[in-house]
Amino acid sequence: MEERMKKIAHKDGEREQLIMEHLENVGELAAEFCKDYQVETVDASRYAYVTGLAHDIGKYSNLFQRKITENLDITVDHSTAGAKEMRKQGMLAASFAIAGHHGGIPNGKDLTKQNLMERVTKRELEPYEEYKNEICLETVQEPKHSANEESLFTRMIFSALVDADFLDTERFMNQGNVERGNYDSIDDLYKKMMHYIKPWRNITEQTSDLNKIRTKILEQCLKEGEGEKGVYSLTVPTGGGKTVSSLAFALTHAKKNAMKRVIYVIPYTSIIEQNVAVFREILGEENVLAHYGTSLLNPENEEKDYYNKHRLSIENWDAPVVVTTNVQFFESLYSNKVSKCRKLHNISNSVVIFDEAQMIPLDYLKPCVKVIQNLVKSYQVSAVLCTATQPALDKWMKPLIVKEICPDYKEVFQHLKRVQIKDAGKLLEDSLIQKILSEKQMLLIVNTKKQAQELYQKTSGEGIYHLSTNMTPFDRKRALQDIRKRLRQDKICRVISTSLVEAGVDLDFPTVFREIAGLDSIVQAAGRCNREGKRKMEESVVWVFRTEEKVHRMIEKNVAMTEETLQKYRQYDALDAISYYFTSLQALDEEALDQYHILDGFEHNLDGIVMPFKKVEELFHLIRSDTRMMIIPIEKEAIRLLEELENRIKNQENFKIVLRKLGMYAVNVYQNEYQKMLEDNSAYEIIDGIGVLQKTSLYTNEMGLCYEKSDGAVMI
């Protein structure tokens, strides 16, 4: 009789895990994950423990027990019970977290029957009261803060709960055999970093002036890394060694303050690989987790010893150094989904470097800055706003004080000035083509993919390249390798590109032509000219030009503000001019800095929705382009992967990993273009929203996808 009374949470063949064991394991793990939270008025660890203890009490129902013991193919709601009990105790964050621990955090109250209030007050549940025979759910005080702070606390508790739930279940199902963790400690990584930079610090008479400046910046980062947790800025011009110096600050700071990890947040996937390669060279491949697009799931990575460990770490960011994108970082912090939120608790007590911080989209500036503030205030995070163009974010960080790591950055900028930026006026297409062909090595950057393709088509000759996101990542990578090689060998190299080369792409040209754009883009473009300072400044010119093309609506405000700035300041790259540009752009329309009312949505409801977790997830997308994935089956590996994808779809097998690998051989196209390509049989749809190019003559390795009905609106 006693044997039949057992209440089971999980079953694997003859093996069983009791509910009580699972609840205690999850509670203890969740409490451990929250030990670094410092949310005023609440014991976060205790709060998380009770949340874990309550999350599966619905499994005590007789119907759920029949489902698991008799292997019945039925659905039993086991999440709402714990959510209901937590609401009774006034623990709303716990109620939201438990209600969403499988399907995502629901809205508090909306017009559907899936919102939290409907579920915990009106939904009929299978009797689950037997939980009281085994556990006692104490009441822990809820935080008393603003609705936005409470919404982040809810997600952070949710994160701890779902990660603990997954890990305990995973451990049971795999009988404890899981390839997680076992990375080097922060102390060990600090030693590796110090060993790597040791030669840099050995200044001799032979040390170049540029390397002396880089070393000075590095020493400043090591010194300031010993400081207390808080918000820092690192303002270093292109060529100042920002990548290594910021790592030196981060590891020094993490070691000094007993912090768990370093997280690098970078604006574009196109510039991450370079940073990842540097960090892995310094710290070892296995210690640096790259989480973006196809970062892990490329065929060549599968042979790495750390592959399986990294594959698991992408789920919860338990590695000591994580490199990711603005999109992944900020969208996760405003998400309601299990898969995105699972890693959030591991952001706590971390050093978070926001590389190229000026690239945070203006539409989302306030929500992004607010969440950084809250992470610093309540979750032991140190944030570093790292930039080469001095963004005006200090105003939005108040009352937090932003400390500059290199206070003499103005002097550094002057010493590292390696180019002249000049106005070329209006250049017609024929003049542009003439400029391209008259320079031995040059980079020309235009504002749209259509312009880049048309100019490339109308030029011919040795060493001419095209770069844009109309090319697959595979072809862009190959082209960049060729370009770097020709530049090193001093061969003819003429590149026509969109703005994708401006941030973090390590190229060094003697001459750059940049179509008028935002001042930040122009300064970033200048970073591709005389990057290593090997030429005289007088010989290194960035020419800003205008064309007869109408300025694209996406950058109208930026161009107008650039023109206004140049009425007041004569030099494009003067620090005062850059500061004026950013400050004025943000002041144009402060409401537009939270265009989708993310912050106000929690404070005053959004479209009548109370605590709109699900609604905000739908609205918060840093890149708001209605695009579809178009697979380009030209390379042998792409064809092989496509065949594997088709077989998996046909056999109803999981195909996500294959699809991610195919990202290396795909481009994104707008929905209207995508639809036209399906209609004229240029492509076919393999699954909803994902196409395969059928008319492969529309794609070339050199120029990417050339579809004549395209409006070329995409900027990069």
Side-chain angles (χ1 to χ4, degrees), residues 429-600:
E429 189 177 81
D430 287 347
S431 299
L432 280 175
I433 292 171
Q434 189 176 359
K435 297 285 186 188
I436 293 168
L437 298 177
S438 64
E439 300 280 349
K440 181 180 179 182
Q441 293 186 339
M442 66 91 69
L443 170 65
L444 183 139
I445 304 172
V446 290
N447 286 332
T448 68
K449 297 194 288 186
K450 184 179 179 182
Q451 287 172 281
Q453 286 186 334
E454 287 178 351
L455 282 169
Y456 180 79
Q457 284 176 315
K458 293 174 182 178
T459 54
S460 60
E462 182 188 354
I464 295 181
Y465 293 87
H466 159 273
L467 286 172
S468 81
T469 55
N470 266 358
M471 301 163 68
T472 65
F474 179 83
D475 282 330
R476 289 204 306 271
K477 185 176 181 180
R478 183 162 54 186
L480 282 166
Q481 287 173 343
D482 289 346
I483 290 165
R484 291 189 179 104
K485 185 176 180 181
R486 294 188 76 90
L487 289 173
R488 283 196 305 271
Q489 296 175 347
D490 197 30
K491 292 182 177 180
I492 290 173
C493 187
R494 300 151 178 162
V495 179
I496 302 165
S497 178
T498 58
S499 62
L500 71 84
V501 298
E502 287 178 351
V505 179
D506 189 7
L507 298 174
D508 187 354
F509 288 87
T511 305
V512 172
F513 282 79
R514 187 24 165 132
E515 184 178 7
I516 188 77
L519 190 58
D520 51 334
S521 292
I522 293 169
V523 173
Q524 288 288 339
R528 310 316 117 193
C529 182
N530 196 21
R531 187 176 179 86
E532 294 300 319
K534 294 177 180 178
R535 307 175 189 89
K536 293 180 180 178
M537 185 173 69
E538 295 75 20
E539 298 170 355
S540 307
V541 182
V542 177
W543 295 98
V544 179
F545 66 93
R546 294 147 186 84
T547 69
E548 290 187 311
E549 295 265 345
K550 184 180 178 181
V551 175
H552 195 279
R553 58 180 173 77
M554 286 176 64
I555 59 168
E556 275 179 337
K557 288 181 181 178
N558 305 72
V559 171
M561 191 51 63
T562 298
E563 300 283 20
E564 180 182 313
T565 302
L566 293 176
Q567 295 297 316
K568 294 178 66 72
Y569 301 92
R570 297 170 65 181
Q571 288 187 316
Y572 283 89
D573 53 351
L575 287 177
D576 289 345
I578 296 168
S579 179
Y580 177 84
Y581 169 82
F582 277 113
T583 304
S584 302
L585 199 59
Q586 293 169 12
L588 277 177
D589 182 0
E590 284 202 16
E591 282 192 18
L593 303 182
D594 185 7
Q595 185 170 335
Y596 302 95
H597 308 290
I598 303 299
L599 298 181
D600 193 54

Side-chain angles (χ1 to χ4, degrees), residues 415-431:
H415 283 308
L416 287 181
K417 186 173 172 62
R418 301 182 304 281
V419 303
Q420 297 181 79
I421 305 179
K422 296 183 178 181
D423 197 326
K426 182 176 284 188
L427 293 177
L428 302 179
E429 189 177 81
D430 287 347
S431 299

Side-chain angles (χ1 to χ4, degrees), residues 75-86:
T75 299
V76 181
D77 177 0
H78 67 271
S79 300
T80 304
K84 186 173 185 175
E85 294 302 318
M86 291 294 95

Side-chain angles (χ1 to χ4, degrees), residues 183-389:
Y183 291 103
D184 286 352
S185 68
I186 289 292
D187 282 2
D188 288 338
L189 297 183
Y190 172 81
K191 290 174 185 174
K192 288 184 177 184
M193 182 270 300
M194 293 301 288
H195 176 75
Y196 181 87
I197 64 174
K198 187 177 180 180
W200 291 31
R201 305 176 76 187
N202 185 25
I203 299 294
T204 66
E205 291 182 4
Q206 286 72 42
T207 304
S208 68
D209 290 342
L210 175 59
N211 283 334
K212 286 178 182 176
I213 293 170
R214 286 173 173 167
T215 301
K216 183 179 179 181
I217 294 168
L218 174 64
E219 295 293 349
Q220 196 71 29
C221 286
L222 291 170
K223 176 185 174 184
E224 294 300 329
E226 298 285 345
E228 300 299 315
K229 294 178 183 178
V231 185
Y232 292 81
S233 60
L234 177 58
T235 309
V236 176
T238 301
K242 177 162 57 79
T243 301
V244 174
S245 291
S246 61
L247 179 67
F249 171 88
L251 287 173
T252 303
H253 194 67
K255 180 177 182 293
K256 167 67 167 57
N257 293 287
M259 301 172 83
K260 294 186 298 189
R261 61 184 46 80
V262 174
I263 301 172
Y264 266 81
V265 185
I266 298 179
Y268 294 134
T269 56
S270 59
I271 68 175
I272 283 186
E273 288 185 6
Q274 187 171 299
N275 293 63
V276 170
V278 172
F279 299 151
R280 285 180 171 170
E281 180 185 353
I282 299 170
L283 306 175
E285 282 191 322
E286 70 284 358
N287 290 311
V288 180
L289 176 70
H291 187 185
Y292 63 95
T294 56
S295 55
L296 182 66
L297 299 169
N298 294 342
E300 60 267 25
N301 287 331
E302 291 185 14
E303 303 304 319
K304 305 286 188 182
D305 291 339
Y306 57 80
Y307 175 80
N308 284 328
K309 187 162 69 171
H310 277 203
R311 181 175 56 81
L312 294 173
S313 288
I314 274 180
E315 298 172 349
N316 67 352
W317 284 7
D318 62 358
V321 178
V322 178
V323 187
T324 190
T325 61
N326 280 352
V327 169
Q328 182 66 238
F329 185 84
F330 288 115
E331 289 189 7
S332 294
L333 282 160
Y334 280 102
S335 181
N336 77 322
K337 293 182 177 177
V338 173
S339 59
K340 286 187 177 181
C341 289
R342 182 177 172 183
K343 57 184 170 285
L344 297 185
H345 71 87
N346 273 327
I347 297 174
S348 68
N349 201 24
S350 297
V351 185
V352 185
I353 309 283
F354 297 94
D355 194 21
E356 308 292 354
Q358 77 282 356
M359 304 292 282
I360 296 174
L362 286 178
D363 292 354
Y364 294 96
L365 184 68
K366 284 186 176 179
C368 289
V369 171
K370 177 59 73 175
V371 83
I372 294 172
Q373 285 180 309
N374 288 339
L375 287 171
V376 172
K377 176 184 175 184
S378 300
Y379 299 96
Q380 300 252 52
V381 164
S382 279
V384 183
L385 309 174
C386 197
T387 176
T389 50

